[in-house]
Structures are given as C-alpha cells and as structure tokens.
C-alpha cells in the first residue's frame, strides 16, 4: 500500500503537469491577441508596417510572446 507521502508527491506531480498544459494553452491564446493587434493596425488606411510591428512587440513583451522581426 502506497504511503501518504507517496500519494501526495504523485498528486503534486500530476497537478504540476496539468498546470503546465493549461498555462501553455493560455499563452497561445494570449499571443493571438498580439497578432490581432498587428492585423488591426495593418488594416488601417495609413498603416505603417514598422509602427504595427512595434505595437505587436509591445503587446508580445507584456504577455511573454515571441516578437515580430523589425525591418
């Protein structure tokens, strides 16, 4: 019969794994917000790709998402 300590360790490991998967899913959704910021910016009649990339990267920095390269 497993000890209480063993069960607690297994529960903690399972919880950490589930939290990691949930955190990854949330991060992906949040990063799509930054892509939406970029797309919205580029859809404006006087859009500047440079300025839109800057807006995307500000969003990405605050959420911990990958940056778009600046050209």
């Amino acid at each position: 019969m497993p000890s209480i300590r063993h069960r607690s360790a297994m529960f903690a490991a399972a919880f950490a794994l589930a939290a990691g998967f949930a955190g990854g899913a949330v991060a992906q959704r949040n990063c799509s917000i930054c892509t939406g910021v970029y797309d919205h910016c580029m859809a404006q009649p006087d859009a500047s790709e440079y300025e839109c990339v800057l807006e995307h990267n500000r969003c990405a920095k605050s959420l911990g998402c990958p940056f778009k390269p600046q050209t």
Side-chain angles (χ1 to χ4, degrees), residues 8-53:
S8 296
M10 292 299 289
F11 177 76
F15 182 78
L17 184 64
F21 282 124
V26 169
Q28 287 177 347
R29 268 185 276 150
N30 286 345
C31 292
S32 69
I33 292 170
C34 300
T35 302
V37 166
Y38 174 81
D39 292 342
H40 176 74
C41 179
M42 288 300 293
Q44 301 306 308
D46 59 345
S48 158
E49 183 175 10
Y50 179 78
E51 291 296 322
C52 294
V53 168

Side-chain angles (χ1 to χ4, degrees), residues 1-13:
M1 183 164 154
S3 70
I4 292 174
R5 176 178 279 168
H6 179 73
R7 279 191 228 157
S8 296
M10 292 299 289
F11 177 76

